[in-house]
Amino acid sequence: MVKWTDEERKVINSIFSNLDYNDVGPKALRRHFGSFGDLTTAAAIMKNAKVAAHGIKVLHGLDRALKNMDNIKDAYTELSILHSEKLHVDPDNFKLLADCLTIVIAAKMGESFTPATHTIWQKFLNVVVSALGKQYH
Amino acid sequence: MLSPREKELIAEIWQRMTPVAEDIGAEALLRMFATQPGSKTYFSHLDISPSSAHLRSHGKKIVLAIAEGAKDISQLAITLGPLQTLHAYQLRIDPTNFKFFSHCMLVTLAAHMRNDFTPVAHAAMDKYLSAFAAVLAEKFR
């Protein structure tokens, strides 16, 4: 089980309470697919409504971790099985998307995304990424 | 592959960052030390606490080297020759750390450039920093 200090809980909750899911979700996914060249052009991705909708869904998936910070591993069992057995997503992609999300949040928050905040955020994402990969066999 | 437009964009961004090389470099290093504690092992001979003189001068060196490379990306192997030797034979930094540093540099650029760090700029910069890291690692084996 991952241990969280009160300060860390405060920082994570603060980032999420200031998050506009409808804005950040699509942006993170667009960057991920854009830098991967999976969809035809960056311009095409940015206009893509389906990518946008999916981004929002993925970001709301993070809510599950937020609400279960003391047991993220178990909270993600179902989602991990889904990603592995139904969606067939290569778990390397979780880290890539997490990195893109970090960059979107850094751009949103500017200098208030300090190295200290960044570290706490990174810890949170590391735990989620690990939990999502747990049910891959 | 970097398109001509991407190379222009990259050169523009580094030109813009050169005057604040110390700030950008120090911040990227700090982010890396905070999120990847293993990377600190290469700096046991320096004072890498926030705002230390060592951190700022080292950060500046790194940013200026990256900015220099951006002026003519096709010549990276030549421009980085001496640095390749330094990293492979003297510093012997495990090249996985180049990836960590590149990510932290992207985060630093995003935090400073905000909306100007568009997905297109991000992708271009990621490609450039990956190429830079790959060239830097060339003499390791």
Side-chain angles (χ1 to χ4, degrees), chain A residues 27 30-31 34-35 42 46 98-100 102-104 106-111 113-115 118-119 122 126, chain B residues 27 30-32 34-36 100 103-104 106-108 110-115 117-120 122-123 126:
Chain A
K27 280 187 174 153
R30 281 171 196 146
R31 283 178 189 266
S35 59
M46 288 192 265
D99 285 349
C100 286
T102 303
I103 288 168
V104 171
K108 282 253 142 216
M109 292 177 63
E111 53 175 44
F113 194 63
T114 61
H118 174 183
T119 305
Q122 189 69 60
N126 287 348
Chain B
E27 188 181 320
L30 253 181
R31 288 182 187 279
M32 183 178 69
T35 54
Q36 298 292 341
F100 297 148
H103 174 66
C104 290
L106 292 175
V107 173
T108 303
H112 279 257
M113 293 174 60
R114 316 292 301 265
N115 287 334
F117 197 60
T118 60
V120 174
H122 170 186
D126 189 29

Side-chain angles (χ1 to χ4, degrees), chain A residues 72-113:
Chain A
I72 293 178
K73 190 174 94 174
D74 286 347
Y76 272 79
T77 305
E78 199 187 309
L79 276 175
S80 179
I81 295 173
L82 173 77
H83 282 77
S84 150
E85 293 177 15
K86 194 157 170 247
L87 305 176
H88 304 295
V89 176
D90 183 339
D92 289 344
N93 289 300
F94 302 149
K95 182 175 180 309
L96 290 173
L97 182 59
D99 285 349
C100 286
L101 184 57
T102 303
I103 288 168
V104 171
I105 295 210
K108 282 253 142 216
M109 292 177 63
E111 53 175 44
S112 57
F113 194 63

